[in-house]
Amino acid sequence: MTDTISAYDAQAESFAVRYESVPADVVHAALLEFIPRGRDLIALDVGAGSGRDAAWLASLRYEVVAAEPAAGMRQEAQRRHPDPRIRWLDDRLPDLSAIHRLGLAFDLILLSAVWMHVSPPARARAFRKLATLLKPGGVILMSLREGPPEPDRPMWPAPPGEVEAFA
């Protein structure tokens, strides 16, 4: 995973431009019906990247904890989305140690184009860590990337059946 993080650090601005070019509600249109609505909701955005999704969740009145392990991406995201409802943390799967230290439980956990960066041997543990962060009735929403990896960002296949088995 370290090589992946290095790539995001080195190319933070260009990745941010690419991610921000498509609005979050368009990217996540298929997930909209599963997003809890109401008051006093809290979300965790794992692998928050450019901050696009964290800002979108904040616009839906969520308090958001945005976990992003690449310092360059985190800085770019904070610059682009200086919303006081977003708390930025340096954290990563499979442990999410900093998130667990907060002692929070989340109504929504979002992983957008992240799971393929978690190595297959670490996935069961990562999923257990995510599940322990959910409030009763909370939701984990995850997008899975298909296709070959890019040369500078290690990733592994992420079959839907594997995630369904963890759930």
Side-chain angles (χ1 to χ4, degrees), residues 73-111:
M73 287 301 296
R74 206 170 47 254
Q75 291 164 2
E76 184 69 20
Q78 288 173 297
R79 184 184 68 75
R80 289 172 177 270
H81 304 287
D83 191 313
R85 291 169 295 188
I86 304 171
R87 181 187 322 184
W88 294 94
L89 291 177
D90 176 3
D91 210 355
R92 66 198 73 198
L93 288 168
D95 297 326
L96 294 175
S97 301
I99 302 298
H100 279 276
R101 282 193 297 274
L102 295 174
L104 298 172
F106 297 91
D107 299 287
L108 171 65
I109 299 175
L110 178 65
L111 292 91

Side-chain angles (χ1 to χ4, degrees), residues 33-163:
E33 68 182 282
F34 303 107
I35 295 176
R37 303 298 171 117
R39 301 175 79 61
D40 302 319
L41 297 172
I42 184 168
L44 171 60
D45 184 4
V46 178
S50 70
R52 174 199 64 200
D53 297 342
W56 173 60
L57 291 170
S59 78
L60 297 176
R61 299 178 20 185
Y62 275 86
E63 291 295 320
V64 181
V65 176
E68 175 52 54
M73 287 301 296
R74 206 170 47 254
Q75 291 164 2
E76 184 69 20
Q78 288 173 297
R79 184 184 68 75
R80 289 172 177 270
H81 304 287
D83 191 313
R85 291 169 295 188
I86 304 171
R87 181 187 322 184
W88 294 94
L89 291 177
D90 176 3
D91 210 355
R92 66 198 73 198
L93 288 168
D95 297 326
L96 294 175
S97 301
I99 302 298
H100 279 276
R101 282 193 297 274
L102 295 174
L104 298 172
F106 297 91
D107 299 287
L108 171 65
I109 299 175
L110 178 65
L111 292 91
S112 181
V114 170
W115 196 246
M116 75 283 187
H117 292 306
V118 179
S119 69
R123 288 181 179 165
R125 181 167 193 259
F127 200 89
R128 283 191 307 272
K129 291 285 192 170
L130 290 166
T132 64
L133 291 167
L134 280 178
K135 286 182 181 176
V139 177
I140 297 174
L141 297 177
M142 181 185 300
S143 64
L144 301 176
R145 183 184 188 278
E146 294 181 346
E150 295 180 21
D152 59 344
R153 295 186 296 158
M155 49 186 84
W156 295 267
E162 174 191 59
V163 175

